[in-house]
Amino acid sequence: MNEQITVFVDGRPVKIYRGMLVKHALIACDYALYKAAACGEVVVVDNHGFVLGLEGALQEGSRVFTGPRNK
């Protein structure tokens, strides 16, 4: 069994280890993006538009998108 999975952050493939969370995918993609999400400037949603927390679980092929938080 492969210990790494591929998830997509804003359409970009990111390799992370199985069991890692949304925050790890953001860090692997762009640390500044993670920091923006951690301080609330950016919101993370799945491909259905549901808001995800940084502690959210991911699986092979998960797609997450980031955008500015609506005020």
Side-chain angles (χ1 to χ4, degrees), residues 7-64:
V7 299
F8 298 86
V9 177
D10 293 333
R12 293 180 282 180
V14 176
K15 291 261 188 203
I16 59 173
Y17 288 98
R18 188 173 308 283
M20 287 187 157
L21 307 173
V22 170
K23 67 181 176 183
H24 299 116
L26 294 178
I27 291 168
C29 181
D30 182 352
Y31 186 74
L33 185 59
Y34 162 72
K35 291 292 280 182
C39 71
E41 294 174 6
V42 169
V43 65
V44 182
V45 298
D46 67 10
N47 58 328
H48 300 289
F50 293 105
V51 176
L52 301 174
L54 295 177
E55 301 295 322
L58 296 170
Q59 61 186 10
E60 176 69 39
S62 291
R63 294 184 181 275
V64 298

